[in-house]
Amino acid sequence: MSSPRAARNPLLPVLLPALLGGLALAPFTAALQRGAPKPEPPASPAEAVPGAQGDDAPRAAGDAAPDRAPRPLPTADEWKELQARDRRVAFTPRTAADARALLASSAPSAEKRAAAWLALGSSGAVSERLALEDLTRHGAGIERRAAILALGELSTGVEALFTSLTSEEDEIAECALLALLRSNRAASRRRVEEIANDPGHPLHDAAGALLVFVADRAGSTPNRASALLLELRWQAARQFGLVDGQAWQVLQVQRLAYDPVFRRELVVRRAARLYRPGARDHLLQILLAGQGPARITTAIAAMPLEVQSLVENDLWAPADHAEWRLVLEAIDARGLASVVPGLLERAAAVDALHYEATVLLARTGKIELARYVDPDLSRLGIADRLAACDAFAISGDLGWRSRLEDLEQSLDVPVRLAARVARMRLGSRVAEDEVRGILGDVEHADHAALVRVLLGVARDPVVGNLLEDYLPTAEGAEALDLAVTLCQQGRITARARVRAALAADPTPKGPEALRLLRALGRRPGPEDLELLRQLFPLEDERDVQIELAGALLELGDPEILPVVRASLWQDEFDLSLLAAAVLAEVGGGVRVLRDELRVPPAEAASADLRRVGFAIGAWGGMREVEDLARELRYASGHPALQGALLGVLSTRTQ
């Protein structure tokens, strides 16, 4: 739709010659897509060495809770990397306060507490000496070893205590020897040298290795105490200090901003909620020419009819079964089955997805289900028979009861139970009593299988209510599975359990973290924001990082905006324009794009400036162009002003 303001604005005849200066529009527009060479990402702040990827990664020797076996010593390469990492750490006056706050919080893991104790020592928190001495005498496991090392970092003259510890078990004795050396006292060093010079002393080898470690770290070999010290210093710096002179979180956000796949998935995912004219044009181009799952799920959410038209006219189609499944999942999640029946018909023609698509078609209430169901279901796999039972129940047609009764005779337990649940959903009181009886009896042989079947159809109100009633009595992993599924279905009573599972220490990782974040990320609320902020950036697989960052961006958290800014300046035209729209919506309006132009990246070329200007014109209209012109001077020929004018003109075709 054209902008009346742009169409009749008297500035256009004046601005056009001054700005474009005879440039042909075609090469000018093409120039919007070219930019300066992009900068190389910074060195990875978390290399593949023990402990570098969070609490659940391999750790240095001795870094174990009392009930865990010690980790093996680092290899030669890992030892070099531990030393290299240690040169990057530093501690600040704020370190001690942050470490005390963690120690005062509720039930952090032993590893996190150990890092906090060492942070106190490394930051010179002399006021904590008595607490450290008490832990050294009466503590256990990794926390006690950390307290010994922290006292050594403080250099407060407790040689007698350290000397008494050399007669204890090897792990404690070696930490005491290292603490003596790190205290930088001549008498302490002489004591370690005496042990090293006594071939008969049990700590002879350890003392020699530690003397080399202190005098010539590069030429040393690891032992349990030295490896633990470097590992704890790294963990302490990440949580309470600095790495490469910056907070760990800042470094991680920078790394994510340099990841083009992460930027693309994050921006395209958020673009599903862009309602600006023209946004769908850029989404369409990304769908047709781009990569990644977000382009499919976002296209379904933002323009389902257009995607259906593309598929029906053979202009685009999912590349494989995985992409088709993304289409079905997006339709299911958004409740769009009745909107895109033609797209579902195409999906149903794919043999591997036939019954998944049939379930969604059944929800439209406009199909003759018998046309989609095999006369002989016994030849199908279990997953297809489960889907058939679901479709029968969704149809609401009592005529399918006889088929369900036949399926109840199946030798496959999931199929038998799915048929019974379907009969319950069709109103059978007998089936409901049987289902409730099995669900309430955790000792029943079919209980676990029934729960899995019910979770698969939890969107059904009858099943959802049944599971919600059962949730308070469920325990352990079953309770969490119920909470995650109910949370995904929008049941707010389950969200507290999902939040608690995500807040656990140690933090969940991998697929477990992904499913929890996906559940909580479904309509996240202000009560989720604080937890998500604490988790970000979660060092994990890219899918997990995208899920967490996407939920925070959905809530408008500014921590994520550097990634969106990086996409604005570094990515291709369509993605950059979407990033500009997201930045404008989350960051406070189109004026934030003008702020970007005031201090562009050092490597930004004229094409980059022109592209950001185009975004200002496209998303802000002529009013923003006028403001930009006043700021840059009308006849300056600034690339951003040129782009802004073209951006306004582009809206006349919408």
Side-chain angles (χ1 to χ4, degrees):
M1 183 176 178
S2 63
S3 170
R5 186 177 181 88
R8 63 173 182 267
N9 195 288
L11 288 175
L12 285 178
V14 178
L15 286 172
L16 275 170
L19 294 179
L20 301 183
L23 286 173
L25 284 181
F28 184 88
T29 306
L32 291 171
Q33 307 203 40
R34 297 194 299 271
K38 305 308 177 187
E40 292 297 321
S44 169
E47 292 82 358
V49 297
Q53 299 298 329
D55 290 334
D56 291 344
R59 292 185 173 83
D63 189 1
D67 56 341
R68 300 180 189 174
R71 298 284 185 180
L73 287 174
T75 65
D77 290 340
E78 290 171 347
W79 180 237
K80 289 179 181 178
E81 190 54 50
L82 278 170
Q83 296 179 49
R85 287 191 326 190
D86 194 64
R87 291 191 290 270
R88 301 164 56 195
V89 308
F91 299 94
T92 70
R94 184 178 171 177
T95 294
D98 291 344
R100 290 189 191 101
L102 181 133
L103 291 170
S105 62
S106 57
S109 66
E111 288 83 359
K112 287 185 178 179
R113 292 179 64 85
W117 288 118
L118 191 75
L120 291 173
S122 298
S123 61
V126 180
S127 61
E128 301 298 331
R129 172 180 170 177
L130 293 179
L132 289 168
E133 288 184 14
D134 183 67
L135 184 57
T136 294
R137 291 187 175 93
H138 308 297
I142 190 173
E143 284 193 68
R144 186 186 185 198
R145 299 195 296 279
I148 296 169
L149 295 171
L151 282 173
E153 301 300 289
L154 282 178
S155 303
T156 53
V158 286
E159 289 82 359
L161 175 58
F162 292 151
T163 302
S164 68
L165 296 175
T166 58
S167 61
E168 295 200 21
E169 60 187 68
D170 288 350
E171 288 184 343
I172 298 297
E174 290 176 11
C175 287
L177 290 178
L178 182 54
L180 283 167
L181 291 171
R182 296 279 292 182
S183 66
N184 293 321
R185 293 174 179 268
S188 300
R189 182 180 182 87
R190 282 196 300 271
R191 177 57 185 146
V192 179
E193 289 173 345
E194 290 171 2
I195 294 174
N197 290 325
D198 181 2
H201 198 288
L203 297 174
H204 165 75
D205 292 336
L210 291 172
L211 281 166
V212 175
F213 171 73
V214 172
D216 179 20
R217 186 174 293 187
S220 66
T221 56
N223 77 346
R224 285 170 292 197
S226 58
L228 178 59
L229 174 68
L230 297 189
E231 178 57 33
L232 287 179
R233 277 175 54 83
W234 174 252
Q235 298 294 344
R238 294 196 329 171
Q239 295 181 60
F240 315 110
L242 303 176
V243 177
D244 294 334
Q246 300 187 76
W248 178 251
Q249 187 177 40
V250 173
L251 277 180
Q252 286 297 93
V253 172
Q254 288 178 355
R255 278 179 47 74
L256 294 176
Y258 276 101
D259 182 347
V261 175
F262 182 88
R263 293 196 307 262
R264 180 194 69 214
E265 292 297 295
L266 181 67
V267 170
V268 173
R269 169 182 166 140
R270 178 58 178 80
R273 293 187 57 204
L274 290 176
Y275 302 109
R276 296 172 179 268
R280 289 188 296 181
D281 295 339
H282 302 294
L283 283 174
L284 176 61
Q285 184 62 28
I286 290 173
L287 174 68
L288 295 176
Q291 296 177 328
R295 82 188 204 283
I296 294 176
T297 56
T298 294
I300 293 294
M303 46 182 189
L305 292 176
E306 289 85 344
V307 174
Q308 177 176 257
S309 180
L310 288 172
V311 173
E312 289 180 332
N313 289 284
D314 296 322
L315 297 174
W316 177 83
D320 50 30
H321 290 169
E323 288 198 353
W324 267 116
R325 187 158 278 112
L326 283 173
V327 169
L328 295 180
E329 289 173 356
I331 294 171
D332 184 11
R334 299 278 178 168
L336 296 172
S338 59
V339 178
V340 288
L343 184 56
L344 292 175
E345 291 280 1
R346 286 295 187 104
V350 180
D351 289 342
L353 303 171
H354 175 78
Y355 278 93
E356 292 180 51
T358 297
V359 168
L360 294 173
L361 283 166
R363 292 187 204 169
T364 67
K366 300 176 182 179
I367 66 166
E368 185 181 344
L369 186 57
R371 292 178 46 239
Y372 296 84
V373 178
D374 287 75
D376 181 12
L377 293 175
S378 62
R379 67 181 184 83
L380 301 178
I382 291 178
D384 285 344
R385 281 180 285 166
L386 295 180
C389 291
D390 191 12
F392 293 155
I394 290 171
S395 72
D397 185 352
L398 299 183
W400 293 110
R401 280 185 173 180
S402 60
R403 297 290 299 273
L404 290 170
E405 289 169 356
D406 291 341
L407 287 170
E408 275 196 85
Q409 308 306 313
S410 172
L411 297 177
D412 296 308
V413 174
V415 175
R416 186 168 68 245
L417 294 173
R420 191 170 303 169
V421 169
R423 287 202 303 117
M424 176 188 74
R425 294 165 65 189
L426 287 172
S428 170
R429 296 298 300 273
V430 173
E432 181 179 352
D433 290 341
E434 292 172 346
V435 169
R436 287 183 178 275
I438 297 173
L439 183 62
D441 182 6
V442 295
E443 302 297 329
H444 195 286
D446 292 340
H447 174 84
L450 175 65
V451 170
R452 288 193 293 272
V453 168
L454 292 172
L455 291 176
V457 293
R459 68 183 178 281
D460 182 274
V462 173
V463 175
N465 292 337
L466 184 63
L467 293 176
E468 197 167 29
D469 292 341
Y470 174 65
L471 178 60
T473 63
E475 297 179 351
E478 180 182 80
L480 185 56
D481 290 343
L482 289 166
V484 167
T485 301
L486 291 172
C487 190
Q488 289 173 332
Q489 300 304 321
R491 306 258 177 171
I492 60 174
T493 54
R495 295 187 72 85
R497 287 182 183 252
V498 177
R499 277 196 296 270
L502 263 177
D505 193 359
T507 303
K509 299 285 186 180
E512 179 67 6
L514 186 59
R515 76 171 186 136
L516 292 172
L517 285 168
R518 282 178 173 168
L520 203 61
R522 186 81 179 273
R523 304 185 189 94
E527 65 278 8
D528 305 317
L529 181 58
E530 185 57 34
L531 171 60
L532 296 174
R533 278 177 173 167
Q534 291 174 7
L535 292 174
F536 183 80
L538 188 61
E539 298 168 69
D540 209 323
E541 299 169 0
R542 183 184 282 137
D543 288 348
V544 178
Q545 295 174 328
I546 291 171
E547 199 67 38
L548 176 56
L552 283 170
L553 190 59
E554 186 84 7
L555 292 167
D557 189 75
E559 298 262 357
I560 313 300
L561 294 185
V563 181
V564 184
R565 290 191 184 99
S567 181
L568 170 70
W569 288 104
Q570 298 179 29
D571 286 325
E572 65 274 11
F573 180 76
D574 293 291
L575 186 54
S576 177
L577 266 289
L578 290 178
V582 171
L583 196 59
E585 289 203 358
V586 178
V590 177
R591 63 177 179 79
V592 302
L593 300 179
R594 297 208 311 271
D595 294 340
E596 289 291 319
L597 284 173
R598 291 190 187 103
V599 190
E603 66 277 1
S606 60
D608 299 318
L609 298 171
R610 195 173 290 118
R611 187 176 64 250
V612 174
F614 188 98
I616 291 174
W619 303 135
M622 197 62 205
R623 183 187 299 274
E624 290 292 336
V625 175
E626 290 172 347
D627 291 342
L628 185 64
R630 281 191 291 269
E631 188 171 327
L632 298 178
R633 292 181 301 156
Y634 289 95
S636 66
H638 193 286
L641 195 51
Q642 296 173 345
L645 188 56
L646 280 180
V648 167
L649 293 175
S650 74
T651 63
R652 301 183 66 180
T653 65
Q654 297 170 9

